[in-house]
Amino acid sequence: MAIDYIINKDCEVKEEVGSAGLIQLIKSRNRAAEIFLSLIEEGKSESEALQTSFSVQLYASKTGESEVKKVTVRDLFRETSQLKELALHCESCPINSGEGFGCYNTVSYPISTEAEKWISQLGQLAVVKGLPESILLKFILDEEVTGEFFAKMRRDIKSTFLQYPEPLEILVEKKLLKRTKVNTNQILDMLFAIGTMERTHQMLLLFFSSGVTISHKEPDPEFLLGNIQAAAVKGESGELRYWIFNLPPIPSDDVSITQIKRFFRSVFAGFAIGETLSVDY
């Protein structure tokens, strides 16, 4: 189970198999690899592992339909082998991060307690800094975002989507006897339960991430290394400003935090090239 997201940049790959087809191919390949490695760890030979069968949902890019059928690990590797050829188109793509298909990635469930604490800390930092970092929290309050989607997922007794049983709260404002709070259910809804993410929504998330700085001066190319990204953005007055995004991984990051940071980097990549993101939670 995972949150899937893809930057909706037109390309030869999506023209060939479609966005949904690409996602399904990657999922099928990853599943085949996971099962193969698991079987090897159990002591099966490579030949035995490749001949092992299991049920999988396959997507037909031509008809737009999917079907469940029984395949062997070898079959699935063969049926997803076109990914090797398709990946060649991605080498010169501006959003290729060296991970194959740079426009697509996932955030795995369950989202860890540590990741939710980190998101809460981002919220607390946004309150301290004020606008524009706190604009996402303001939007949540102004638009009365309830957090209903992730609240329901947190209550799901059949699957574990979040490790922590209750949402964490961020105190946004305190006046006499009134305390205004936002919780992590509401923030998670704004991150992932949005379908197609337009440019304005991307900006809300980028400011919240605390990874954005805006400068009138063009950054030195030597500065733009590793996780640092930059985009030249024209304002309504035509003035050019440089958005610089830097949300580096640190050794203490767990898998969930690492994946959510990568999600923020993809949001910035989409923002930089003027493309929407599709998110399926």
Side-chain angles (χ1 to χ4, degrees), residues 28 55 159 165:
S28 296
S55 296
S159 301

Side-chain angles (χ1 to χ4, degrees), residues 3 36 40 46 48 52 76 122 128 130 135 139 141 143 147 149 156 167 177 193 195-196 204 210 223 225 261:
I3 298 163
F36 177 79
I40 293 297
E46 182 174 314
E48 290 172 329
T52 300
L76 205 53
L122 288 180
V128 172
I135 192 169
F139 181 90
L141 294 170
E143 299 299 320
F149 300 107
D156 193 322
L177 300 177
T196 299
L204 296 179
S210 196
F223 174 72
L225 300 172
K261 284 185 175 182

Side-chain angles (χ1 to χ4, degrees), residues 122 125-127 129-137 204 206-210 212:
L122 288 180
L125 181 61
V127 172
K129 288 187 172 183
L131 295 173
E133 280 84 353
S134 63
I135 192 169
L136 178 69
L137 305 181
L204 296 179
L206 293 173
F207 283 127
F208 176 78
S209 75
S210 196
V212 167

Side-chain angles (χ1 to χ4, degrees), residues 218-277:
E218 184 176 0
D220 187 333
E222 293 185 2
F223 174 72
L224 302 177
L225 300 172
N227 293 293
I228 303 175
Q229 300 165 281
V233 179
K234 275 190 177 182
E236 292 182 1
S237 64
E239 184 180 16
L240 195 63
R241 292 187 178 182
Y242 296 93
W243 288 55
I244 301 166
F245 185 74
N246 186 21
L247 192 63
I250 59 176
S252 61
D253 289 346
D254 67 3
V255 171
S256 288
I257 296 175
T258 299
Q259 291 180 342
I260 295 171
K261 284 185 175 182
R262 187 169 57 196
F263 170 75
F264 278 125
R265 289 199 296 274
S266 291
V267 172
F268 185 83
F271 173 80
I273 63 173
E275 298 288 355
T276 61
L277 272 75

Side-chain angles (χ1 to χ4, degrees), residues 35-46:
I35 292 173
F36 177 79
L37 291 175
S38 177
L39 291 169
I40 293 297
E41 289 174 0
E42 290 175 6
K44 290 187 179 292
S45 68
E46 182 174 314

Side-chain angles (χ1 to χ4, degrees), residues 1-6 13 17-36 54-59 66-67 71-73 75-84 86 99 101 104-109 161 278-281:
M1 298 186 296
I3 298 163
D4 298 298
Y5 60 91
I6 189 165
V13 174
V17 298
S19 293
L22 174 62
I23 291 171
Q24 192 61 56
L25 281 167
I26 294 173
K27 283 184 172 182
S28 296
R29 180 196 60 187
N30 291 346
R31 186 177 184 189
E34 289 170 6
I35 292 173
F36 177 79
F54 60 98
S55 296
V56 65
Q57 185 175 35
L58 294 176
Y59 177 84
S66 61
E67 62 174 326
V71 296
T72 65
V73 174
D75 290 336
L76 205 53
F77 276 131
R78 285 174 177 167
E79 291 184 27
T80 60
S81 62
Q82 70 182 118
L83 286 171
K84 292 181 181 179
L86 291 173
E99 299 176 350
F101 300 93
Y104 168 75
N105 226 308
T106 63
V107 176
S108 302
Y109 290 122
F161 294 100
S278 291
V279 186
D280 183 1
Y281 67 100

